[in-house]
Amino acid sequence: MTTLPTARQEDALRELAHLGSAQGASMLARLVGDVGVLVDVPIVLRANTWQLAWLLGGRDVHVVAATFGVEGELNGQLWWVLKQEDAQRLGRRLLKRPGLSGPLSANVAAALAEAANIVASAALDAIGGFVKLSVLPSTPNMLDTTISALVGPPDDVERTVIAASFVSTEGSAFSGWLVLLLDDESFDTVLKRMKVPRDDGR
């Protein structure tokens, strides 16, 4: 994987990602009963679709994902990604039905979509507030799919990826990823707002 051009850029975006993911995790913890949901140190890199799939666990992994367009003064996508079994466990906790089993039901899917919307809104609100930009998530698109289908066909195009993993600390365990994909113009905008120069000194 190719990292961003400078360590200062990577540190700045990691700080931004931590703010967003921590706020999202806090909201998720409230949804499952005010129990702990921890986020790991965010990862910041430039990656193509092959590398992004590897980061998320492998192309053949079956996941439930909520994908959002990033709207407002930044452009990109926000993904909330859980392995299928983790999504089931989280859905049961959201519905307060720990014994529920079987395929992803409409009720579980609806609960996950609502939770994803709350998490995404909280994360983008924190990010936008820090860089003083208006940023909102679109309506979530819920997918029951593979990592391969989520990231798209293999390519050599590198894009900025900001990713943070999260894990519950109590009860029926679940874990997943919150992934922010910015276009290059938005990447420049965020760095300027954080007063971090590009590698050419701008």
Side-chain angles (χ1 to χ4, degrees):
M1 295 184 179
T2 305
T3 58
L4 293 165
T6 72
R8 186 177 175 188
Q9 290 175 18
E10 188 175 348
D11 288 344
L13 288 180
R14 187 178 288 116
E15 178 185 4
L16 189 68
H18 178 72
L19 287 171
S21 58
Q23 188 61 29
S26 176
M27 294 303 296
L28 183 57
R30 295 182 192 181
L31 292 174
V32 294
D34 283 322
V35 299
V37 178
L38 300 180
V39 290
D40 205 348
V41 176
I43 296 169
V44 180
L45 46 81
R46 294 281 289 179
N48 59 32
T49 54
W50 274 107
Q51 295 162 330
L52 180 54
W54 178 85
L55 173 68
L56 296 176
R59 297 184 65 83
D60 295 330
V61 173
H62 206 120
V63 296
V64 174
T67 64
F68 301 82
V70 176
E71 300 178 346
E73 295 177 281
L74 295 176
N75 293 303
Q77 298 179 61
L78 182 69
W79 297 350
W80 195 56
V81 185
L82 302 97
K83 290 182 181 179
Q84 192 175 55
E85 56 270 27
D86 287 286
Q88 284 279 16
R89 284 192 287 268
L90 174 56
R92 292 195 294 266
R93 291 184 65 171
L94 292 168
L95 293 172
K96 297 179 173 57
R97 295 176 65 186
L100 190 67
S101 62
L104 200 66
S105 69
N107 287 340
V108 170
L112 289 171
E114 182 179 358
N117 194 47
I118 291 170
V119 170
S121 297
L124 290 181
D125 184 63
I127 289 171
F130 188 74
V131 295
K132 296 180 173 57
L133 293 170
S134 175
V135 189
L136 297 169
S138 70
T139 301
N141 180 28
M142 295 299 297
L143 303 171
D144 189 351
T145 187
T146 63
I147 291 293
S148 177
L150 175 65
V151 303
D155 64 29
D156 294 323
V157 178
E158 290 187 342
R159 53 195 57 77
T160 302
V161 178
I162 305 173
S165 61
F166 60 88
V167 62
S168 64
T169 58
E170 297 180 32
S172 181
F174 61 84
S175 62
W177 287 92
L178 192 64
V179 181
L180 180 63
L181 306 168
L182 295 177
D183 63 20
D184 288 341
E185 183 178 354
S186 294
F187 174 54
D188 283 342
T189 298
V190 167
L191 290 177
K192 288 175 183 176
R193 288 283 179 156
M194 298 183 75
K195 296 181 172 55
V196 178
R198 296 288 290 179
D199 55 320
D200 59 6
R202 284 184 292 154

